[in-house]
Amino acid sequence: MVERLSESEISSALMALKGWKLREDGLAITRSLQFSDFAEAFGFMTRVAILAEKADHHPEWFNVYNKVEITLTTHDASGLSERDVALAKQIDAAA
Ligand SMILES: C[C@H](O)[C@H](O)[C@H]1CNC2=NC(N)=NC(=O)C2=N1
């Protein structure tokens, strides 16, 4: 069973991440990214898809043209877990 992060763990995790915000309900983190065009955006999404599959931890995301909006939460914990932080760090590196 994956543990849900405490508020202080979430705050310190957000400081180590780039551009991620805590969703109003406190149960997810979100980040918006903008690329030069659709092909760049989709290439990023492809890299993230491979990382997500390897981690067995998957984003909720939306893409329109060169913009990608990502939401991370852990369904199994009904909130944020270390899996979200780990994937967010990998996403920051893939951007
Ligand atoms: C059995 C369980 O659904 C799987 O282990 C994974 C799949 N991907 C997942 N992704 C996310 N975001 N949260 C999960 O709890 C999750 N669980």
Side-chain angles (χ1 to χ4, degrees):
M1 182 60 189
V2 59
E3 287 291 307
R4 198 193 309 196
L5 295 178
S6 66
E7 283 184 20
S8 58
E9 287 168 326
I10 292 169
S11 308
S12 46
L14 283 170
M15 283 189 273
L17 297 171
K18 281 184 252 163
W20 292 84
K21 292 193 190 70
L22 186 61
R23 195 170 67 185
E24 264 173 38
D25 64 4
L27 300 176
I29 53 174
T30 63
R31 184 178 176 190
S32 296
L33 302 99
Q34 184 163 331
F35 297 87
S36 51
D37 57 25
F38 175 73
E40 288 302 307
F42 202 84
F44 164 75
M45 292 177 75
T46 302
R47 294 194 294 279
V48 172
I50 294 164
L51 292 167
E53 196 55 18
K54 278 189 187 147
D56 189 27
H57 197 70
H58 303 83
E60 298 164 22
W61 48 8
F62 172 79
N63 158 247
V64 57
Y65 183 51
N66 65 333
K67 293 185 180 66
V68 181
E69 292 170 11
I70 305 177
T71 297
L72 296 178
T73 186
T74 302
H75 309 303
D76 296 345
S78 306
L80 282 164
S81 74
E82 189 45 48
R83 290 181 191 171
D84 300 302
V85 178
L87 184 56
K89 283 178 184 158
Q90 290 185 297
I91 288 170
D92 289 349

